[in-house]
Amino acid sequence: MSLVKQVMDEVNQVMGLIDESQLASAEQLIQKDKRIFVLGAGRSGLMAKGFAMRLMHIGYTVYAVGETITPSIQAGDVLVAVSGSGKTGSILEVVEKAKADGVKVVAVTSNAESPLGKLGDTTVVVPGATKAGDGVKSIQLLSTLFDQSVHITLDILCLMLSRRDHVSNDTAKATHSNLE
Amino acid sequence: MSLVKQVMDEVNQVMGLIDESQLASAEQLIQKDKRIFVLGAGRSGLMAKGFAMRLMHIGYTVYAVGETITPSIQAGDVLVAVSGSGKTGSILEVVEKAKADGVKVVAVTSNAESPLGKLGDTTVVVPGATKAGDGVKSIQLLSTLFDQSVHITLDILCLMLSRRDHVSNDTAKATHSNLE
Amino acid sequence: MSLVKQVMDEVNQVMGLIDESQLASAEQLIQKDKRIFVLGAGRSGLMAKGFAMRLMHIGYTVYAVGETITPSIQAGDVLVAVSGSGKTGSILEVVEKAKADGVKVVAVTSNAESPLGKLGDTTVVVPGATKAGDGVKSIQLLSTLFDQSVHITLDILCLMLSRRDHVSNDTAKATHSNLE
Amino acid sequence: MSLVKQVMDEVNQVMGLIDESQLASAEQLIQKDKRIFVLGAGRSGLMAKGFAMRLMHIGYTVYAVGETITPSIQAGDVLVAVSGSGKTGSILEVVEKAKADGVKVVAVTSNAESPLGKLGDTTVVVPGATKAGDGVKSIQLLSTLFDQSVHITLDILCLMLSRRDHVSNDTAKATHSNLE
């Protein structure tokens, strides 16, 4: 079997385990009158940024934690935190602090029973293999399968949001950076 | 049909069109005694960075253009450039300049006939829908389908490289940032 | 003479040549009802980001070109572009495009007669030594003296803005990222 | 007195308090056969990145914590950590972990008695005003005076290193990114 086929079998298996009702709960927390912050380390951080960029395109006020113009997070804000294992120390500290301050948390992790999974006001479980060995088994390195599945899952959430908000492709295009 | 199913049908369709011989050509250009530079704008840039991070994990000398410690690029280096449309101005300028300086180029684009597609010493075609309307049609916004498919495609290239180089998951784990 | 003293002599010399009326012109373009974009390559880019971060602290809507959530730039926006030589290709292209689209440009450069210097609706000249050999001579490497002087100059502009806007240190502190 | 003059009086006052013997100690830790990691949050992080970029130009193997291709830190590496207050939580955790792993730490802070100041194998004290109210008093916002003085101090360290290593301006120029 080709390598492409083997990898896609893994991705399809994980995506078949996504619970769309969890996405619907996340969708309810993400509103245009809220400020959305995204957070993740390593490749999970890149996935979080890809999600933030698309949220910007469809009209949300969104910030990536660690970037230049990210302000202080406050009660009433929403924090989307991504960690495959759900145990990344630097992520958990930010989430715990934010939660104590009255921030709503959308946790995205492979493991609902992990510390991050338990901290989420809403938790989206993406059961791809991670560095920590959770989730669907994979021939790919480290948390590759988790990253791939999180990417697609957060894009599906964007699609749900853009439909709810009646944002067309042309509207999104007009907001897309024109300085490339 | 569920949204997850609809999106996965799109991703499966694009991935079914990936030509593994193009990946094999890219694999030949990426060698441990070369310096690899990655380049992309917007979400393509995030995918390029995810690829660079994994190349670092499996032992390559790799730089993301635009980051702090990225040195000058020189003859003999390899540049992996990602652009859905293959027409992103800022990407094309860097690629043209690098090529003139003797750098080998791996082009990753939805369109083999685009300017970027033609500039590649090797071109990997990932025919997902882009902002410019190329490739497999999609219900998703902008170049989402391209981003998803590029992500998986570059991960497959990493898997090929790690197997060629006999890098185990444990070795990759030891190189993974331990400051998270 | 100690190295600290030699370097400070250079910085004092450059700062003595700053024309505060140019800062006053820049101050007039930067208003709370405008969106401010900052742009720079390499170390100039880091200085531009430091400026953006402080503008955020004192209440401006500001974006760093190239970061995740930076939207398209539009007529009526303000672009602050930093380049020591005033000739950095990637910077000039963005500035020219933005200007053609009706964006106001604050140019920050060592050389008023450079391409960037001429493109500015307002130009702030910081005549520190650059890679291109412009400005006050320096024992320091490359454009170090320009970077140092730009840093202080843009901070002085922030001080002018915070006084004009009656932003106190405590207000700025409340907006400062609390996720560190 | 002009605003430029008032600000420069502050910077000169802080720089007059720099102890060049502390820079000489830092210089001894930074060697070409070591890997250097830099770390800082917010504007301190930008200063750390500016330092890293210049170290790259003069021939060091250097990484900015949090960027794409930064590998795991190991015994024998050197970590340069910048925090005005010396109390930034996310910085302290990384420093403590690294130190426990056998990494040598260069601490850069306004306060020698702060937690970071005490953790340094070598500590460079830059007594500019910070958010926490340490150091020389300032009319400028937050830790602006610290940022300015750290910038110049780390550049002086680069100058010392480039002289020790006999790196000319032309050599540094050849390593500077040519993709701008």
Side-chain angles (χ1 to χ4, degrees), chain A residues 31-68:
Chain A
Q31 300 289 343
K32 292 232 161 150
D33 62 352
K34 299 289 183 190
R35 301 191 309 172
I36 318 297
F37 289 69
V38 306
L39 175 68
R43 286 183 33 130
S44 289
L46 296 174
M47 298 306 109
K49 285 182 178 172
F51 180 55
M53 199 180 286
R54 196 60 92 217
L55 285 182
M56 176 269 286
H57 293 147
I58 60 178
Y60 288 84
T61 302
V62 57
Y63 300 100
V65 174
E67 290 207 334
T68 301

Side-chain angles (χ1 to χ4, degrees), chain D residues 133-153:
Chain D
D134 301 305
V136 169
K137 289 290 162 267
S138 173
I139 59 169
Q140 302 184 85
L141 291 171
L142 303 169
S143 59
T144 299
L145 180 55
F146 176 75
D147 302 335
Q148 294 161 343
S149 311
V150 160
H151 179 158
I152 298 171
T153 300

